[in-house]
Protein backbone atom coordinates (compact mmCIF):
# COMPACT_ATOMS: atom_id res chain seq x y z
CA UNK A 1 0.00 0.00 0.00
CA UNK A 2 1.29 3.47 -0.88
CA UNK A 3 2.43 5.98 1.73
CA UNK A 4 1.59 9.68 1.58
CA UNK A 5 2.07 12.73 3.75
CA UNK A 6 -0.94 14.63 5.05
CA UNK A 7 0.05 17.52 2.80
CA UNK A 8 -0.02 15.29 -0.28
CA UNK A 9 -3.39 13.83 0.68
CA UNK A 10 -4.83 17.28 1.29
CA UNK A 11 -3.80 18.37 -2.20
CA UNK A 12 -5.21 15.22 -3.78
CA UNK A 13 -8.63 15.48 -2.13
CA UNK A 14 -8.91 19.27 -2.18
CA UNK A 15 -8.74 19.70 1.59
CA UNK A 16 -7.53 22.56 3.78
CA UNK A 17 -4.96 21.03 6.13
CA UNK A 18 -4.93 22.17 9.74
CA UNK A 19 -1.88 20.42 11.10
CA UNK A 20 1.49 18.93 10.20
CA UNK A 21 1.90 18.54 6.44
CA UNK A 22 4.88 16.16 6.78
CA UNK A 23 3.02 13.60 8.91
CA UNK A 24 3.22 10.18 7.20
CA UNK A 25 0.09 8.16 6.42
CA UNK A 26 0.27 4.51 5.34
CA UNK A 27 -3.38 3.53 5.35
CA UNK A 28 -6.93 4.21 6.51
CA UNK A 29 -8.92 2.87 9.43
CA UNK A 30 -12.13 3.45 11.39
CA UNK A 31 -11.97 6.42 13.75
CA UNK A 32 -12.24 4.30 16.90
CA UNK A 33 -9.14 2.20 16.23
CA UNK A 34 -6.99 4.22 13.82
CA UNK A 35 -3.28 4.09 14.54
CA UNK A 36 -0.62 6.78 14.40
CA UNK A 37 0.03 6.26 10.67
CA UNK A 38 -3.59 5.93 9.59
CA UNK A 39 -6.17 8.37 8.28
CA UNK A 40 -9.88 8.35 9.19
CA UNK A 41 -12.91 10.60 8.89
CA UNK A 42 -15.61 12.10 11.07
CA UNK A 43 -18.95 12.59 9.37
CA UNK A 44 -20.42 15.04 11.87
CA UNK A 45 -19.75 17.16 14.97
CA UNK A 46 -21.29 14.40 17.09
CA UNK A 47 -17.97 12.60 16.69
CA UNK A 48 -15.99 15.43 18.31
CA UNK A 49 -15.05 13.43 21.42
CA UNK A 50 -13.99 10.45 19.34
CA UNK A 51 -11.80 12.66 17.16
CA UNK A 52 -10.19 14.25 20.21
CA UNK A 53 -9.41 10.82 21.67
CA UNK A 54 -8.18 9.30 18.41
CA UNK A 55 -4.55 8.41 17.80
CA UNK A 56 -5.01 8.83 14.03
CA UNK A 57 -2.43 10.66 11.95
CA UNK A 58 -5.22 12.81 10.56
CA UNK A 59 -8.99 13.10 10.35
CA UNK A 60 -11.06 14.22 7.37
CA UNK A 61 -13.84 16.55 8.57
CA UNK A 62 -16.46 18.85 7.09
CA UNK A 63 -16.39 22.63 6.93
CA UNK A 64 -18.49 23.06 10.07
CA UNK A 65 -16.39 20.80 12.29
CA UNK A 66 -14.88 22.66 15.29
CA UNK A 67 -11.14 23.43 15.15
CA UNK A 68 -8.93 21.15 17.26
CA UNK A 69 -5.37 22.49 17.59
CA UNK A 70 -4.09 19.16 18.95
CA UNK A 71 -5.39 17.16 15.95
CA UNK A 72 -4.43 17.11 12.27
CA UNK A 73 -7.64 17.94 10.42
CA UNK A 74 -8.20 17.81 6.66
CA UNK A 75 -11.18 20.10 6.17
CA UNK A 76 -13.39 19.62 3.09
CA UNK A 77 -16.86 20.72 2.02
CA UNK A 78 -18.23 17.17 2.20
CA UNK A 79 -16.48 14.85 4.68
CA UNK A 80 -17.89 11.66 3.14
CA UNK A 81 -16.79 12.69 -0.34
CA UNK A 82 -13.32 13.51 0.99
CA UNK A 83 -13.21 10.11 2.67
CA UNK A 84 -14.07 8.40 -0.62
CA UNK A 85 -11.36 10.30 -2.48
CA UNK A 86 -8.82 9.33 0.16
CA UNK A 87 -9.84 5.67 -0.06
CA UNK A 88 -9.16 5.79 -3.78
CA UNK A 89 -5.58 6.85 -3.06
CA UNK A 90 -4.96 3.75 -0.97
CA UNK A 91 -6.88 1.31 -3.13
CA UNK A 92 -4.78 -1.23 -4.98
CA UNK A 93 -5.18 -0.48 -8.68
CA UNK A 94 -2.38 -2.60 -10.19
CA UNK A 95 -3.44 -3.66 -13.65
CA UNK A 96 -1.91 -6.45 -15.70
CA UNK A 97 -1.45 -6.83 -19.43
CA UNK A 98 -1.24 -9.89 -21.62
CA UNK A 99 -2.82 -13.33 -21.80
CA UNK A 100 -2.22 -16.02 -19.18
CA UNK A 101 -0.76 -19.23 -20.53
CA UNK A 102 -3.79 -21.26 -19.42
CA UNK A 103 -6.40 -18.98 -21.03
CA UNK A 104 -8.18 -20.15 -24.19
CA UNK A 105 -8.51 -17.26 -26.64
CA UNK A 106 -9.95 -17.50 -30.16
CA UNK A 107 -7.55 -16.50 -32.90
CA UNK A 108 -9.87 -13.79 -34.21
CA UNK A 109 -10.56 -12.14 -30.85
CA UNK A 110 -9.47 -8.49 -30.75
CA UNK A 111 -7.77 -7.87 -27.43
CA UNK A 112 -6.05 -4.59 -26.61
CA UNK A 113 -2.33 -4.95 -25.92
CA UNK A 114 -2.74 -3.54 -22.41
CA UNK A 115 -5.76 -5.67 -21.46
CA UNK A 116 -5.39 -8.78 -19.31
CA UNK A 117 -6.89 -12.25 -19.79
CA UNK A 118 -6.54 -14.27 -16.59
CA UNK A 119 -5.95 -17.97 -15.86
CA UNK A 120 -8.44 -20.47 -17.33
CA UNK A 121 -10.50 -17.71 -18.95
CA UNK A 122 -12.26 -18.55 -22.22
CA UNK A 123 -12.60 -15.90 -24.93
CA UNK A 124 -14.59 -17.05 -27.95
CA UNK A 125 -14.62 -15.90 -31.56
CA UNK A 126 -15.16 -12.27 -32.64
CA UNK A 127 -14.83 -10.90 -29.09
CA UNK A 128 -13.50 -7.34 -28.68
CA UNK A 129 -11.85 -6.29 -25.39
CA UNK A 130 -10.81 -2.66 -24.89
CA UNK A 131 -7.72 -1.02 -23.47
CA UNK A 132 -6.89 -1.67 -19.84
CA UNK A 133 -9.73 -4.12 -19.19
CA UNK A 134 -9.03 -6.96 -16.78
CA UNK A 135 -10.62 -10.37 -17.38
CA UNK A 136 -10.34 -12.48 -14.23
CA UNK A 137 -9.69 -16.15 -13.68
CA UNK A 138 -12.27 -18.56 -15.09
CA UNK A 139 -14.29 -15.90 -16.94
CA UNK A 140 -16.29 -17.02 -19.99
CA UNK A 141 -16.66 -14.44 -22.78
CA UNK A 142 -19.06 -15.67 -25.44
CA UNK A 143 -18.74 -15.10 -29.16
CA UNK A 144 -19.33 -11.60 -30.44
CA UNK A 145 -19.19 -10.00 -26.98
CA UNK A 146 -17.77 -6.48 -26.78
CA UNK A 147 -16.11 -5.15 -23.61
CA UNK A 148 -15.05 -1.51 -23.40
CA UNK A 149 -12.08 0.23 -21.81
CA UNK A 150 -10.87 -0.12 -18.22
CA UNK A 151 -13.45 -2.72 -17.19
CA UNK A 152 -12.89 -5.19 -14.38
CA UNK A 153 -14.53 -8.58 -14.95
CA UNK A 154 -14.21 -10.63 -11.76
CA UNK A 155 -13.47 -14.34 -11.45
CA UNK A 156 -16.02 -16.78 -12.90
CA UNK A 157 -18.18 -14.11 -14.53
CA UNK A 158 -20.14 -15.35 -17.55
CA UNK A 159 -20.79 -13.07 -20.52
CA UNK A 160 -22.94 -14.96 -23.00
CA UNK A 161 -22.72 -14.44 -26.75
CA UNK A 162 -23.34 -10.98 -28.09
CA UNK A 163 -23.26 -9.17 -24.77
CA UNK A 164 -22.12 -5.54 -24.79
CA UNK A 165 -20.26 -3.97 -21.85
CA UNK A 166 -19.41 -0.26 -21.85
CA UNK A 167 -16.35 1.50 -20.45
CA UNK A 168 -15.26 1.30 -16.79
CA UNK A 169 -17.80 -1.35 -15.84
CA UNK A 170 -17.21 -3.55 -12.80
CA UNK A 171 -18.64 -7.08 -12.74
CA UNK A 172 -18.15 -8.93 -9.47
CA UNK A 173 -17.45 -12.67 -9.22
CA UNK A 174 -20.11 -15.04 -10.49
CA UNK A 175 -22.26 -12.46 -12.30
CA UNK A 176 -24.06 -13.86 -15.36
CA UNK A 177 -24.83 -11.49 -18.23
CA UNK A 178 -26.93 -12.67 -21.15
CA UNK A 179 -28.31 -16.02 -20.04
CA UNK A 180 -31.67 -16.86 -21.63
CA UNK A 181 -34.74 -14.95 -20.53
CA UNK A 182 -37.44 -17.00 -18.83
CA UNK A 183 -39.84 -17.50 -21.72
CA UNK A 184 -42.17 -20.46 -22.38
CA UNK A 185 -45.45 -21.04 -24.23
CA UNK A 186 -47.92 -23.81 -23.37
CA UNK A 187 -48.26 -26.11 -26.36
CA UNK A 188 -50.94 -28.75 -25.77
CA UNK A 189 -49.06 -30.80 -23.22
CA UNK A 190 -45.83 -29.01 -22.32
CA UNK A 191 -44.15 -25.68 -21.69
CA UNK A 192 -42.34 -25.00 -24.96
CA UNK A 193 -39.21 -22.86 -24.77
CA UNK A 194 -39.31 -19.52 -26.60
CA UNK A 195 -35.90 -18.88 -28.18
CA UNK A 196 -34.10 -15.90 -26.69
CA UNK A 197 -32.10 -14.35 -29.51
CA UNK A 198 -31.62 -10.78 -28.25
CA UNK A 199 -28.77 -9.44 -26.16
CA UNK A 200 -27.79 -7.44 -23.06
CA UNK A 201 -26.22 -3.97 -23.12
CA UNK A 202 -24.49 -2.51 -20.06
CA UNK A 203 -23.76 1.18 -20.57
CA UNK A 204 -20.67 2.93 -19.16
CA UNK A 205 -19.84 2.83 -15.43
CA UNK A 206 -22.30 0.07 -14.54
CA UNK A 207 -21.50 -2.13 -11.53
CA UNK A 208 -22.98 -5.62 -11.21
CA UNK A 209 -22.75 -7.48 -7.89
CA UNK A 210 -21.69 -11.06 -7.23
CA UNK A 211 -24.03 -13.74 -8.56
CA UNK A 212 -26.38 -11.18 -10.10
CA UNK A 213 -28.11 -12.29 -13.30
CA UNK A 214 -29.21 -10.04 -16.17
CA UNK A 215 -31.11 -12.00 -18.84
CA UNK A 216 -30.82 -11.50 -22.58
CA UNK A 217 -33.81 -10.24 -24.53
CA UNK A 218 -36.16 -12.44 -26.50
CA UNK A 219 -35.73 -9.93 -29.34
CA UNK A 220 -33.81 -6.67 -29.20
CA UNK A 221 -31.98 -5.91 -25.99
CA UNK A 222 -32.06 -5.79 -22.23
CA UNK A 223 -30.38 -2.46 -21.39
CA UNK A 224 -28.87 -1.16 -18.15
CA UNK A 225 -28.32 2.61 -18.08
CA UNK A 226 -25.10 4.47 -17.42
CA UNK A 227 -23.88 4.56 -13.84
CA UNK A 228 -26.42 2.08 -12.45
CA UNK A 229 -25.21 -0.04 -9.53
CA UNK A 230 -26.56 -3.49 -8.69
CA UNK A 231 -25.87 -5.33 -5.45
CA UNK A 232 -25.29 -9.09 -5.16
CA UNK A 233 -28.05 -11.58 -6.03
CA UNK A 234 -30.20 -9.28 -8.16
CA UNK A 235 -32.31 -10.74 -10.99
CA UNK A 236 -33.23 -8.69 -14.07
CA UNK A 237 -35.62 -10.32 -16.54
CA UNK A 238 -35.47 -10.21 -20.32
CA UNK A 239 -36.17 -7.05 -22.31
CA UNK A 240 -36.02 -4.75 -19.27
CA UNK A 241 -34.82 -1.20 -19.86
CA UNK A 242 -33.31 0.35 -16.75
CA UNK A 243 -32.34 4.02 -16.68
CA UNK A 244 -29.23 5.86 -15.55
CA UNK A 245 -27.92 5.84 -11.98
CA UNK A 246 -30.39 3.26 -10.67
CA UNK A 247 -29.57 1.54 -7.37
CA UNK A 248 -30.81 -2.01 -6.85
CA UNK A 249 -30.12 -3.92 -3.63
CA UNK A 250 -29.67 -7.63 -2.91
CA UNK A 251 -32.34 -10.18 -3.84
CA UNK A 252 -34.43 -7.70 -5.77
CA UNK A 253 -36.13 -9.33 -8.74
CA UNK A 254 -37.55 -7.64 -11.83
CA UNK A 255 -39.88 -9.37 -14.25
CA UNK A 256 -39.42 -9.15 -17.99
CA UNK A 257 -40.12 -6.07 -20.11
CA UNK A 258 -40.13 -3.59 -17.22
CA UNK A 259 -39.28 0.04 -17.84
CA UNK A 260 -37.44 1.73 -14.98
CA UNK A 261 -36.53 5.42 -15.09
CA UNK A 262 -33.37 7.15 -13.94
CA UNK A 263 -32.29 7.68 -10.31
CA UNK A 264 -34.61 4.95 -9.01
CA UNK A 265 -33.71 3.17 -5.74
CA UNK A 266 -34.89 -0.43 -5.29
CA UNK A 267 -34.30 -1.91 -1.82
CA UNK A 268 -33.62 -5.51 -0.85
CA UNK A 269 -36.02 -8.34 -1.73
CA UNK A 270 -38.29 -6.13 -3.81
CA UNK A 271 -40.34 -7.96 -6.47
CA UNK A 272 -41.52 -6.07 -9.55
CA UNK A 273 -44.06 -7.77 -11.81
CA UNK A 274 -43.34 -7.96 -15.54
CA UNK A 275 -44.36 -5.17 -17.95
CA UNK A 276 -44.34 -2.57 -15.15
CA UNK A 277 -43.24 1.05 -15.66
CA UNK A 278 -41.40 2.80 -12.82
CA UNK A 279 -40.95 6.58 -13.18
CA UNK A 280 -37.81 8.63 -12.53
CA UNK A 281 -36.72 9.07 -8.93
CA UNK A 282 -38.98 6.40 -7.44
CA UNK A 283 -37.92 4.85 -4.10
CA UNK A 284 -39.12 1.33 -3.29
CA UNK A 285 -38.73 0.04 0.28
CA UNK A 286 -37.47 -3.41 1.23
CA UNK A 287 -39.64 -6.47 0.54
CA UNK A 288 -42.19 -4.43 -1.42
CA UNK A 289 -44.21 -6.09 -4.16
CA UNK A 290 -44.83 -3.80 -7.12
CA UNK A 291 -47.79 -4.97 -9.22
CA UNK A 292 -48.65 -1.77 -11.12
CA UNK A 293 -46.96 1.29 -12.59
CA UNK A 294 -45.44 3.92 -10.28
CA UNK A 295 -45.41 7.62 -11.14
CA UNK A 296 -42.18 9.66 -11.07
CA UNK A 297 -41.09 10.54 -7.54
CA UNK A 298 -43.33 7.99 -5.83
CA UNK A 299 -42.20 6.34 -2.60
Amino acid sequence: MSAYTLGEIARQIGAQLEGVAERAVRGMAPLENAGSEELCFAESERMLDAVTASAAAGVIVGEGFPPLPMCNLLRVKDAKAGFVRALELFQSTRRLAGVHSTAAVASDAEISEDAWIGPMAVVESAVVIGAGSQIGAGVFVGSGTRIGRDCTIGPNVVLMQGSVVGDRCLLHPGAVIGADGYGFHWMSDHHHKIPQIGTVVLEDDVEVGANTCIDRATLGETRIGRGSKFDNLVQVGHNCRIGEHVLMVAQAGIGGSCRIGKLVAVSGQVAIVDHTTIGDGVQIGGQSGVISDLAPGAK
Side-chain angles (χ1 to χ4, degrees):
M1 185 173 286
S2 301
Y4 298 89
T5 66
L6 285 178
E8 290 169 339
I9 295 171
R11 286 190 293 273
Q12 291 277 2
I13 70 173
Q16 179 67 40
L17 176 62
E18 300 172 9
V20 182
E22 295 76 23
R23 182 73 176 267
V25 179
R26 301 188 183 279
M28 298 190 68
L31 178 61
E32 60 270 18
N33 55 19
S36 61
E37 292 188 329
E38 292 177 313
L39 184 68
C40 56
F41 94 110
E43 197 161 8
S44 73
E45 296 180 34
R46 293 176 306 203
M47 305 173 79
L48 177 62
D49 290 344
V51 171
T52 303
S54 176
V59 184
I60 299 168
V61 299
E63 290 180 338
F65 200 88
L68 291 173
M70 301 302 294
C71 299
N72 296 315
L73 301 182
L74 292 86
R75 195 175 297 278
V76 292
K77 182 176 180 180
D78 180 338
K80 188 65 173 287
F83 167 66
V84 172
R85 295 300 185 194
L87 281 174
E88 291 171 345
L89 294 176
F90 290 97
Q91 183 181 34
S92 175
T93 56
R94 186 172 72 99
R95 300 182 83 80
L96 303 173
V99 177
H100 193 274
S101 60
T102 62
V105 179
S107 60
D108 64 344
E110 297 181 25
I111 300 170
S112 175
E113 291 183 358
D114 59 353
W116 166 249
I117 311 299
M120 305 301 290
V122 174
V123 179
E124 291 194 330
S125 177
V127 166
V128 177
I129 298 176
S133 286
Q134 307 285 289
I135 309 302
V139 169
F140 174 83
V141 185
S143 60
T145 293
R146 290 183 287 137
I147 299 172
R149 301 172 58 91
D150 297 318
C151 292
T152 300
I153 312 298
N156 296 319
V157 167
V158 173
L159 291 157
M160 296 300 289
Q161 70 272 13
S163 299
V164 179
V165 179
D167 296 337
R168 300 174 302 279
C169 289
L170 172 57
L171 277 58
H172 290 278
V176 178
I177 309 300
D180 278 359
Y182 189 72
F184 302 89
H185 182 68
W186 181 254
M187 289 190 179
S188 301
D189 60 352
H190 70 284
H191 294 287
H192 194 85
K193 183 175 179 62
I194 300 171
Q196 307 290 299
I197 63 173
T199 189
V200 173
V201 177
L202 307 182
E203 297 182 1
D204 295 346
D205 301 300
V206 167
E207 182 167 344
V208 178
N211 295 322
T212 282
C213 298
I214 302 175
D215 292 346
R216 71 192 310 107
T218 308
L219 296 171
E221 62 185 30
T222 302
R223 178 174 287 266
I224 310 301
R226 178 176 62 92
S228 288
K229 313 293 185 185
F230 293 175
D231 196 3
N232 305 330
L233 298 169
V234 169
Q235 161 65 26
V236 178
H238 57 185
N239 290 95
C240 286
R241 296 185 69 88
I242 294 176
E244 297 182 354
H245 306 295
V246 170
L247 301 178
M248 196 166 297
V249 182
Q251 298 182 353
I254 304 177
S257 299
C258 287
R259 299 291 180 263
I260 296 180
K262 63 185 179 182
L263 296 169
V264 171
V266 180
S267 298
Q269 296 187 329
V270 166
I272 302 176
V273 72
D274 58 327
H275 296 273
T276 300
T277 297
I278 308 293
D280 294 347
V282 168
Q283 297 179 23
I284 305 175
Q287 296 190 322
S288 296
V290 180
I291 60 174
S292 61
D293 295 351
L294 294 176
K299 295 183 181 180

